[in-house]
Structure formats: structure tokens, C-alpha cells
Amino acid sequence: MPVTPPVRLAVARKFLLAVAEHDVEQAVALLSPDCEYRVPGHHVLAGTFTGATEVTEHLVHLFSDATSTFNLIKWEDWLVGDEFVAAVAEIRMQRQHRIFTEKILFLMSFDRETRIAAVRVFFDNPDQMERMLR
């Protein structure tokens, strides 16, 4: 008998696949109204974005920067716990003639309606991200 994936995993996958496809509208529709999306660092994409409007602006900025590209290469793993879902992805970025590949961990928590309440982004090599995104 096939195992049905937990609802939180399905929501997390749908959200991150929408982000990978640059479908901001679909991604934001899965967020809690007062969600918090946090990207660590001191670069142009870093910050804490609260609420659907700020998260939308952040994602639009990520995908609309004419000097950069952001492409998902592959999902490496999905981790499901009692409270959190995490995904490990390999991405490729290009910015001003510099190209690099990086592993990113997305950690998500959920509200009572199984909407994403928080997203935390962790970089495998934060120093490289800082240099790349100055």
C-alpha cells in the first residue's frame, strides 16, 4: 500500500517548487498571513521579511535582478519532523559574470491551518554568499 506523504511535506514541496519555478503568486498563496521569511547575512538578499507583502517583494527582487540568475539544480533531500519540514537544495547563481554553486537548507514551520508560518534559509558556505551578493 503506498504511503501518503504528510500534509506539511506536501505544502513545503509545493511552496519550494513554486519558488524554483519563479512562481511568486503560487508560493505566497501557501504562506500564513503573518509569516516570517529570514535570510541570514549582510548581502542584498539578506533580511527578515514579515507578512505576505514583504515576502512577495523579496521573492520578486530575487528573480528580477537583471544582473543575477538564480536556478535550482536539484533537490537533494526532504526531512520531515513533528514540527518542521526541511529541504536541501543545490542551486546555481550567476551575478555580474561570477558563477557559483551552493547548497541551501530551507527550514519551514507551519500554523494550525498547515500554512507556512516561517521559512529560514541556511547556506552551506555563507562567506561565499556574502562575496557573491555584495
PDB file of all heavy atoms in Angstrom, residues 58-75:
ATOM      1  N   HIS A  58      10.404  40.374  -1.574  1.00  0.00           N
ATOM      2  CA  HIS A  58      11.713  39.713  -1.525  1.00  0.00           C
ATOM      3  C   HIS A  58      11.874  38.736  -2.689  1.00  0.00           C
ATOM      4  O   HIS A  58      12.895  38.747  -3.381  1.00  0.00           O
ATOM      5  CB  HIS A  58      11.891  38.978  -0.195  1.00  0.00           C
ATOM      6  CG  HIS A  58      13.066  38.065  -0.182  1.00  0.00           C
ATOM      7  ND1 HIS A  58      14.367  38.525  -0.173  1.00  0.00           N
ATOM      8  CD2 HIS A  58      13.145  36.714  -0.217  1.00  0.00           C
ATOM      9  CE1 HIS A  58      15.196  37.493  -0.193  1.00  0.00           C
ATOM     10  NE2 HIS A  58      14.483  36.383  -0.217  1.00  0.00           N
ATOM     11  N   LEU A  59      10.877  37.894  -2.920  1.00  0.00           N
ATOM     12  CA  LEU A  59      10.972  36.910  -3.996  1.00  0.00           C
ATOM     13  C   LEU A  59      11.012  37.583  -5.368  1.00  0.00           C
ATOM     14  O   LEU A  59      11.774  37.170  -6.241  1.00  0.00           O
ATOM     15  CB  LEU A  59       9.822  35.909  -3.910  1.00  0.00           C
ATOM     16  CG  LEU A  59       9.845  34.990  -2.692  1.00  0.00           C
ATOM     17  CD1 LEU A  59       8.580  34.137  -2.650  1.00  0.00           C
ATOM     18  CD2 LEU A  59      11.096  34.132  -2.658  1.00  0.00           C
ATOM     19  N   VAL A  60      10.227  38.626  -5.552  1.00  0.00           N
ATOM     20  CA  VAL A  60      10.259  39.371  -6.824  1.00  0.00           C
ATOM     21  C   VAL A  60      11.645  39.960  -7.030  1.00  0.00           C
ATOM     22  O   VAL A  60      12.211  39.890  -8.134  1.00  0.00           O
ATOM     23  CB  VAL A  60       9.160  40.459  -6.856  1.00  0.00           C
ATOM     24  CG1 VAL A  60       9.384  41.438  -7.992  1.00  0.00           C
ATOM     25  CG2 VAL A  60       7.789  39.806  -6.970  1.00  0.00           C
ATOM     26  N   HIS A  61      12.239  40.521  -5.978  1.00  0.00           N
ATOM     27  CA  HIS A  61      13.593  41.072  -6.070  1.00  0.00           C
ATOM     28  C   HIS A  61      14.596  39.977  -6.433  1.00  0.00           C
ATOM     29  O   HIS A  61      15.478  40.184  -7.276  1.00  0.00           O
ATOM     30  CB  HIS A  61      13.981  41.741  -4.750  1.00  0.00           C
ATOM     31  CG  HIS A  61      15.385  42.233  -4.709  1.00  0.00           C
ATOM     32  ND1 HIS A  61      15.821  43.337  -5.406  1.00  0.00           N
ATOM     33  CD2 HIS A  61      16.469  41.751  -4.055  1.00  0.00           C
ATOM     34  CE1 HIS A  61      17.113  43.509  -5.189  1.00  0.00           C
ATOM     35  NE2 HIS A  61      17.524  42.562  -4.370  1.00  0.00           N
ATOM     36  N   LEU A  62      14.466  38.820  -5.808  1.00  0.00           N
ATOM     37  CA  LEU A  62      15.365  37.700  -6.089  1.00  0.00           C
ATOM     38  C   LEU A  62      15.338  37.323  -7.559  1.00  0.00           C
ATOM     39  O   LEU A  62      16.376  37.085  -8.171  1.00  0.00           O
ATOM     40  CB  LEU A  62      14.970  36.488  -5.233  1.00  0.00           C
ATOM     41  CG  LEU A  62      15.704  35.173  -5.483  1.00  0.00           C
ATOM     42  CD1 LEU A  62      17.177  35.293  -5.148  1.00  0.00           C
ATOM     43  CD2 LEU A  62      15.057  34.051  -4.688  1.00  0.00           C
ATOM     44  N   PHE A  63      14.155  37.298  -8.156  1.00  0.00           N
ATOM     45  CA  PHE A  63      14.021  36.830  -9.533  1.00  0.00           C
ATOM     46  C   PHE A  63      14.128  37.933 -10.575  1.00  0.00           C
ATOM     47  O   PHE A  63      14.284  37.647 -11.749  1.00  0.00           O
ATOM     48  CB  PHE A  63      12.687  36.102  -9.716  1.00  0.00           C
ATOM     49  CG  PHE A  63      12.527  34.948  -8.776  1.00  0.00           C
ATOM     50  CD1 PHE A  63      11.353  34.762  -8.082  1.00  0.00           C
ATOM     51  CD2 PHE A  63      13.562  34.056  -8.553  1.00  0.00           C
ATOM     52  CE1 PHE A  63      11.201  33.702  -7.208  1.00  0.00           C
ATOM     53  CE2 PHE A  63      13.421  32.999  -7.677  1.00  0.00           C
ATOM     54  CZ  PHE A  63      12.233  32.812  -7.002  1.00  0.00           C
ATOM     55  N   SER A  64      14.043  39.192 -10.180  1.00  0.00           N
ATOM     56  CA  SER A  64      14.028  40.257 -11.171  1.00  0.00           C
ATOM     57  C   SER A  64      15.354  41.003 -11.307  1.00  0.00           C
ATOM     58  O   SER A  64      15.469  41.877 -12.152  1.00  0.00           O
ATOM     59  CB  SER A  64      12.924  41.267 -10.849  1.00  0.00           C
ATOM     60  OG  SER A  64      13.229  41.929  -9.637  1.00  0.00           O
ATOM     61  N   ASP A  65      16.328  40.679 -10.492  1.00  0.00           N
ATOM     62  CA  ASP A  65      17.629  41.342 -10.577  1.00  0.00           C
ATOM     63  C   ASP A  65      18.254  41.028 -11.933  1.00  0.00           C
ATOM     64  O   ASP A  65      18.645  39.894 -12.209  1.00  0.00           O
ATOM     65  CB  ASP A  65      18.521  40.864  -9.433  1.00  0.00           C
ATOM     66  CG  ASP A  65      19.875  41.568  -9.396  1.00  0.00           C
ATOM     67  OD1 ASP A  65      20.202  42.308 -10.334  1.00  0.00           O
ATOM     68  OD2 ASP A  65      20.599  41.357  -8.417  1.00  0.00           O
ATOM     69  N   ALA A  66      18.366  42.026 -12.775  1.00  0.00           N
ATOM     70  CA  ALA A  66      18.855  41.830 -14.148  1.00  0.00           C
ATOM     71  C   ALA A  66      20.312  41.392 -14.201  1.00  0.00           C
ATOM     72  O   ALA A  66      20.753  40.846 -15.210  1.00  0.00           O
ATOM     73  CB  ALA A  66      18.676  43.120 -14.950  1.00  0.00           C
ATOM     74  N   THR A  67      21.053  41.604 -13.117  1.00  0.00           N
ATOM     75  CA  THR A  67      22.470  41.221 -13.124  1.00  0.00           C
ATOM     76  C   THR A  67      22.694  39.828 -12.547  1.00  0.00           C
ATOM     77  O   THR A  67      23.825  39.388 -12.439  1.00  0.00           O
ATOM     78  CB  THR A  67      23.309  42.228 -12.322  1.00  0.00           C
ATOM     79  OG1 THR A  67      22.903  42.188 -10.954  1.00  0.00           O
ATOM     80  CG2 THR A  67      23.163  43.623 -12.887  1.00  0.00           C
ATOM     81  N   SER A  68      21.620  39.140 -12.164  1.00  0.00           N
ATOM     82  CA  SER A  68      21.766  37.848 -11.499  1.00  0.00           C
ATOM     83  C   SER A  68      20.832  36.805 -12.095  1.00  0.00           C
ATOM     84  O   SER A  68      19.798  37.135 -12.672  1.00  0.00           O
ATOM     85  CB  SER A  68      21.430  37.968 -10.013  1.00  0.00           C
ATOM     86  OG  SER A  68      22.285  38.860  -9.378  1.00  0.00           O
ATOM     87  N   THR A  69      21.204  35.552 -11.903  1.00  0.00           N
ATOM     88  CA  THR A  69      20.291  34.445 -12.163  1.00  0.00           C
ATOM     89  C   THR A  69      20.299  33.551 -10.937  1.00  0.00           C
ATOM     90  O   THR A  69      21.291  33.445 -10.225  1.00  0.00           O
ATOM     91  CB  THR A  69      20.692  33.613 -13.398  1.00  0.00           C
ATOM     92  OG1 THR A  69      21.986  33.051 -13.172  1.00  0.00           O
ATOM     93  CG2 THR A  69      20.707  34.447 -14.655  1.00  0.00           C
ATOM     94  N   PHE A  70      19.173  32.921 -10.683  1.00  0.00           N
ATOM     95  CA  PHE A  70      19.010  32.004  -9.559  1.00  0.00           C
ATOM     96  C   PHE A  70      18.292  30.791 -10.112  1.00  0.00           C
ATOM     97  O   PHE A  70      17.154  30.896 -10.544  1.00  0.00           O
ATOM     98  CB  PHE A  70      18.172  32.669  -8.458  1.00  0.00           C
ATOM     99  CG  PHE A  70      17.769  31.738  -7.353  1.00  0.00           C
ATOM    100  CD1 PHE A  70      18.601  31.511  -6.281  1.00  0.00           C
ATOM    101  CD2 PHE A  70      16.540  31.095  -7.388  1.00  0.00           C
ATOM    102  CE1 PHE A  70      18.214  30.658  -5.252  1.00  0.00           C
ATOM    103  CE2 PHE A  70      16.147  30.245  -6.373  1.00  0.00           C
ATOM    104  CZ  PHE A  70      16.994  30.032  -5.300  1.00  0.00           C
ATOM    105  N   ASN A  71      18.979  29.646 -10.146  1.00  0.00           N
ATOM    106  CA  ASN A  71      18.379  28.443 -10.700  1.00  0.00           C
ATOM    107  C   ASN A  71      18.588  27.272  -9.761  1.00  0.00           C
ATOM    108  O   ASN A  71      19.692  27.048  -9.267  1.00  0.00           O
ATOM    109  CB  ASN A  71      18.996  28.093 -12.057  1.00  0.00           C
ATOM    110  CG  ASN A  71      18.717  29.159 -13.077  1.00  0.00           C
ATOM    111  OD1 ASN A  71      17.572  29.490 -13.325  1.00  0.00           O
ATOM    112  ND2 ASN A  71      19.766  29.719 -13.650  1.00  0.00           N
ATOM    113  N   LEU A  72      17.529  26.536  -9.558  1.00  0.00           N
ATOM    114  CA  LEU A  72      17.608  25.316  -8.784  1.00  0.00           C
ATOM    115  C   LEU A  72      18.188  24.226  -9.675  1.00  0.00           C
ATOM    116  O   LEU A  72      17.732  24.047 -10.803  1.00  0.00           O
ATOM    117  CB  LEU A  72      16.220  24.895  -8.309  1.00  0.00           C
ATOM    118  CG  LEU A  72      16.213  23.569  -7.575  1.00  0.00           C
ATOM    119  CD1 LEU A  72      16.685  23.777  -6.149  1.00  0.00           C
ATOM    120  CD2 LEU A  72      14.858  22.952  -7.611  1.00  0.00           C
ATOM    121  N   ILE A  73      19.194  23.543  -9.188  1.00  0.00           N
ATOM    122  CA  ILE A  73      19.757  22.426  -9.933  1.00  0.00           C
ATOM    123  C   ILE A  73      19.035  21.147  -9.547  1.00  0.00           C
ATOM    124  O   ILE A  73      18.568  20.410 -10.401  1.00  0.00           O
ATOM    125  CB  ILE A  73      21.272  22.290  -9.678  1.00  0.00           C
ATOM    126  CG1 ILE A  73      21.991  23.547 -10.177  1.00  0.00           C
ATOM    127  CG2 ILE A  73      21.820  21.041 -10.349  1.00  0.00           C
ATOM    128  CD1 ILE A  73      23.454  23.598  -9.819  1.00  0.00           C
ATOM    129  N   LYS A  74      18.943  20.879  -8.233  1.00  0.00           N
ATOM    130  CA  LYS A  74      18.224  19.675  -7.796  1.00  0.00           C
ATOM    131  C   LYS A  74      17.899  19.753  -6.315  1.00  0.00           C
ATOM    132  O   LYS A  74      18.562  20.441  -5.542  1.00  0.00           O
ATOM    133  CB  LYS A  74      19.033  18.419  -8.090  1.00  0.00           C
ATOM    134  CG  LYS A  74      20.304  18.289  -7.283  1.00  0.00           C
ATOM    135  CD  LYS A  74      21.046  17.015  -7.613  1.00  0.00           C
ATOM    136  CE  LYS A  74      22.358  16.959  -6.870  1.00  0.00           C
ATOM    137  NZ  LYS A  74      23.054  15.722  -7.078  1.00  0.00           N
ATOM    138  N   TRP A  75      16.842  19.042  -5.960  1.00  0.00           N
ATOM    139  CA  TRP A  75      16.505  18.833  -4.556  1.00  0.00           C
ATOM    140  C   TRP A  75      17.276  17.608  -4.108  1.00  0.00           C
ATOM    141  O   TRP A  75      17.197  16.551  -4.729  1.00  0.00           O
ATOM    142  CB  TRP A  75      15.005  18.605  -4.380  1.00  0.00           C
ATOM    143  CG  TRP A  75      14.220  19.816  -4.760  1.00  0.00           C
ATOM    144  CD1 TRP A  75      13.454  19.975  -5.862  1.00  0.00           C
ATOM    145  CD2 TRP A  75      14.155  21.038  -4.050  1.00  0.00           C
ATOM    146  NE1 TRP A  75      12.916  21.223  -5.895  1.00  0.00           N
ATOM    147  CE2 TRP A  75      13.324  21.908  -4.787  1.00  0.00           C
ATOM    148  CE3 TRP A  75      14.718  21.501  -2.860  1.00  0.00           C
ATOM    149  CZ2 TRP A  75      13.045  23.205  -4.373  1.00  0.00           C
ATOM    150  CZ3 TRP A  75      14.429  22.792  -2.451  1.00  0.00           C
ATOM    151  CH2 TRP A  75      13.607  23.619  -3.199  1.00  0.00           C
TER     152      TRP A  75
END
